[in-house]
Amino acid sequence: MRTRITTAAVISVLLTLTACGAEPEPEKRASDKPSTQGTGTADGVTSEQQASARKAAGVPEEPTGAERAELIATIAKVAPDAAKHEEKAVLGALNQCAAIHAKAPKLDWLAAQRFSYKGVNTSESQGKELNQALKDGFCKV
């Protein structure tokens, strides 16, 4: 009888102790999050600060409308297959502008890589032509 009472007491103490540490933290409510009102973005950077940083890095704004169509047409003249993937081509052009502005080494190779996708291979000579076309137009910030 004594063993049963002692065992029951030990088990209840162990269950009580493990239950104390196993409680999950209460979920954070939306009202607990810091407010981003007036800052422009969730990370606290205003749109003016973003524009300034883009300009300093030599990256133009993402083109829309006629400017986007002109950029795609420019890419298509040099690398027609690369222009078929418009979103990738535009992102590649934006990234290539940053590399051009930073005077990165192997610009022709970088352009060839940026404008090569699954099923699309852009050569370094096409990369060189793309760099010149971007320098002459789209990448002027």
Side-chain angles (χ1 to χ4, degrees), residues 61-124:
E61 292 290 325
E62 187 165 340
T64 58
E67 185 182 15
R68 182 182 177 96
E70 184 181 332
L71 174 61
I72 297 298
T74 300
I75 294 169
K77 287 177 188 172
V78 177
D81 290 339
K84 291 177 185 175
H85 303 276
E86 288 187 13
E87 189 62 32
K88 290 181 180 181
V90 169
L91 291 175
L94 290 168
N95 288 326
Q96 194 63 17
C97 287
I100 290 168
H101 180 77
K103 296 178 176 55
K106 299 184 179 183
L107 279 175
D108 300 341
W109 179 83
L110 282 173
Q113 297 303 304
R114 284 200 172 99
F115 292 96
S116 292
Y117 327 111
K118 184 178 181 179
V120 176
N121 292 315
T122 304
S123 68
E124 277 192 56

